[in-house]
Amino acid sequence: MDSASCSILYTLSLSRIQIPKLNRTFLHSIPSFASTSERNFRFCGKNLHFNRVLASNSSSNPIDENPSQPLAVILEVEGVLMDVYRLGNRQAFNVAFQKHGLDCANWTEPIYVDLSRKAGGDEKMMLVLYFNRIGWPTSLPTNEKETFMKSVLREKKNALEEFVMAKSLPLRPGIENFIDDALHNGIPVVIVTAYDKSCDKMSRSIIEKLGNERVSKIRTVGKEEVEQSLYGQLVFGEGVTAGLDEQLAKEAIKAASAEKQRIAEEVASVLKLKVEIDTSSTESIQNIVVALRAAAENAGLPVQNCVLIAGSQSGVMGAERIGMPCVVLRSSLTSRAEFPSANAIMDGFGGADLTISKLRNKKWL
């Protein structure tokens, strides 16, 4: 650990940090780490996975004893509102290949599914696997492969955005009834776009397909809403000092990253290689955590009373970090993926799958 990080940790541990006055709902949305208790999340449906450790202030949570406890539903966009990857991602890759003059590169659905499965959904790795298989463009120098892949992914993203914006692509079956049922029962519905892979413009375009009447009744939390939230101001805002635990955690992460880099460099010096450790995933999870807390704050309920309907592994990880219940809705991209930390895994909305009734009748055991 470098001396700067040690100094900061020591200073923070001795200082009294003032936290601005926050509303009661927000304070309750921050879980205590004094104790934890193992909980199980049970639905009356199929394809369920259990076993979850949730933060708790006592041996029993009020929501355990009162099934009518307030509930909020937080929805991701990709894979939840619309199966974007099934409807347009493969075609967008083919458009990107054409724009690069790669007429021989064409991903059929079997090829796309196979690459996605082998790469775990990592699009850059999908390109590596594919071109290692068929051969890289002959005019491409070896040291420019990275630049080439970034260019393809950029064109793919632009093509996907145009495809979603221009085409009348359908939402996932049952999503409209699911939202209507939630609103009818007085359950706040919050859609999170802050950490979507897609650009904010495309995400909001998908949300607009829900219709003006529904959109007017639901809440959307993008980057702007996160920055304006009380928790967002705690973490990112100027003039607002973060709480001791939060700041210590951030400094500990920095110190750990610095230590990993130091060890990697020592190993590299022996191997005569240059090694860089990617710590971007830590920053990404932090952004997701802040977005989910902002969504709970927007709903006016503690995180334990909000259920994230996720379509991504990163969303599941963020929910687990703060003790927010999470249900995964499988999509074409995650049809074979495992989500061991999710409270439940379902295939769609309605019927034997995900319904508001099942969420309201959940039991903590």
Side-chain angles (χ1 to χ4, degrees), residues 126-342:
M126 289 170 68
L127 290 174
V128 171
L129 292 173
Y130 180 69
F131 286 108
N132 280 346
R133 181 187 303 173
I134 71 166
W136 294 80
T138 54
S139 60
L140 182 68
T142 303
N143 61 353
E144 292 185 12
K145 287 183 179 180
E146 187 74 20
T147 302
F148 166 73
M149 288 189 291
K150 287 182 179 179
S151 179
V152 170
L153 291 176
R154 184 169 55 251
E155 288 292 351
K156 190 276 305 183
K157 183 178 179 180
N158 293 337
L160 181 61
E161 179 183 346
E162 292 177 5
F163 192 75
V164 171
M165 300 280 286
K167 304 287 184 179
S168 299
L169 300 179
L171 297 169
R172 287 196 67 153
I175 179 60
E176 292 158 308
N177 290 336
F178 179 82
I179 292 176
D180 289 344
D181 195 13
L183 296 174
H184 177 74
N185 283 278
I187 297 174
V189 177
V190 182
I191 299 178
V192 182
T193 67
Y195 58 85
D196 274 352
K197 291 181 181 178
S198 303
C199 67
D200 189 64
K201 184 178 180 181
M202 189 173 98
S203 295
R204 292 183 184 272
S205 174
I206 293 173
I207 293 173
E208 288 175 1
K209 293 178 183 293
L210 291 169
N212 294 333
E213 186 175 351
R214 287 191 191 88
V215 172
S216 67
K217 297 176 182 178
I218 61 181
R219 306 161 196 187
T220 302
V221 174
K223 293 181 180 179
E224 183 178 347
E225 287 79 9
V226 168
E227 291 172 357
Q228 292 175 354
S229 70
L230 291 175
Y231 193 85
Q233 291 179 58
L234 267 179
V235 178
F236 302 124
E238 295 181 2
V240 181
T241 305
L244 179 60
D245 289 343
E246 187 73 37
Q247 192 65 32
L248 284 172
K250 290 170 68 176
E251 292 304 326
I253 289 172
K254 289 181 183 178
S257 297
E259 184 67 10
K260 286 198 297 183
Q261 182 67 45
R262 183 187 66 78
I263 294 172
E265 288 173 353
E266 287 182 1
V267 174
S269 66
V270 177
L271 300 175
K272 306 298 183 183
L273 297 172
K274 180 180 179 181
V275 179
E276 294 183 0
I277 299 297
D278 180 13
T279 57
S280 60
S281 60
T282 299
E283 181 180 355
S284 175
I285 290 298
Q286 175 182 302
N287 292 336
I288 293 170
V289 165
V290 177
L292 293 180
R293 286 196 182 281
E297 180 185 326
N298 207 279
L301 292 173
V303 293
Q304 294 89 342
N305 290 73
C306 301
V307 180
L308 173 66
I309 312 303
S312 67
Q313 187 69 260
S314 56
V316 177
M317 293 172 63
E320 181 184 24
R321 182 74 63 88
I322 61 175
M324 177 181 286
C326 177
V327 176
V328 170
L329 210 65
R330 289 196 184 279
S331 67
S332 59
L333 188 66
T334 60
S335 60
R336 298 184 181 182
E338 296 293 331
F339 298 91
S341 62

Side-chain angles (χ1 to χ4, degrees), residues 4-241:
S5 295
C6 289
S7 175
I8 292 173
L9 288 170
Y10 179 74
T11 302
L12 284 171
S13 66
L14 296 179
S15 65
R16 297 182 64 186
I17 297 176
Q18 299 297 317
I19 301 177
K21 261 181 154 182
L22 305 177
N23 65 48
R24 195 165 203 160
T25 298
F26 173 66
L27 288 175
H28 284 309
S29 72
I30 303 178
S32 167
F33 296 95
S35 64
T36 59
S37 57
E38 187 170 306
R39 307 290 189 195
N40 289 334
F41 200 46
R42 185 175 69 185
F43 289 86
C44 302
K46 64 179 181 179
N47 298 331
L48 307 185
H49 292 268
F50 310 116
N51 297 327
R52 175 66 178 269
V53 177
L54 295 177
S56 174
N57 293 328
S58 63
S59 59
S60 63
N61 192 316
I63 198 172
D64 300 356
E65 303 165 358
N66 184 5
S68 63
Q69 189 79 7
L71 171 71
V73 173
I74 299 176
L75 303 168
E76 290 186 348
V77 177
E78 292 183 17
V80 176
L81 296 189
M82 178 185 288
D83 193 342
V84 176
Y85 287 87
R86 180 179 67 83
L87 297 170
N89 208 50
R90 178 178 65 83
Q91 295 92 322
F93 265 110
N94 288 334
V95 170
F97 294 148
Q98 291 173 10
K99 289 190 175 182
H100 281 78
L102 303 172
D103 296 330
C104 61
N106 180 61
W107 287 1
T108 61
E109 190 162 341
I111 290 176
Y112 177 81
V113 171
D114 181 61
L115 290 172
S116 180
R117 179 178 58 81
K118 290 180 178 177
D122 186 321
E123 296 186 338
K124 182 178 175 182
M125 182 56 65
M126 289 170 68
L127 290 174
V128 171
L129 292 173
Y130 180 69
F131 286 108
N132 280 346
R133 181 187 303 173
I134 71 166
W136 294 80
T138 54
S139 60
L140 182 68
T142 303
N143 61 353
E144 292 185 12
K145 287 183 179 180
E146 187 74 20
T147 302
F148 166 73
M149 288 189 291
K150 287 182 179 179
S151 179
V152 170
L153 291 176
R154 184 169 55 251
E155 288 292 351
K156 190 276 305 183
K157 183 178 179 180
N158 293 337
L160 181 61
E161 179 183 346
E162 292 177 5
F163 192 75
V164 171
M165 300 280 286
K167 304 287 184 179
S168 299
L169 300 179
L171 297 169
R172 287 196 67 153
I175 179 60
E176 292 158 308
N177 290 336
F178 179 82
I179 292 176
D180 289 344
D181 195 13
L183 296 174
H184 177 74
N185 283 278
I187 297 174
V189 177
V190 182
I191 299 178
V192 182
T193 67
Y195 58 85
D196 274 352
K197 291 181 181 178
S198 303
C199 67
D200 189 64
K201 184 178 180 181
M202 189 173 98
S203 295
R204 292 183 184 272
S205 174
I206 293 173
I207 293 173
E208 288 175 1
K209 293 178 183 293
L210 291 169
N212 294 333
E213 186 175 351
R214 287 191 191 88
V215 172
S216 67
K217 297 176 182 178
I218 61 181
R219 306 161 196 187
T220 302
V221 174
K223 293 181 180 179
E224 183 178 347
E225 287 79 9
V226 168
E227 291 172 357
Q228 292 175 354
S229 70
L230 291 175
Y231 193 85
Q233 291 179 58
L234 267 179
V235 178
F236 302 124
E238 295 181 2
V240 181
T241 305

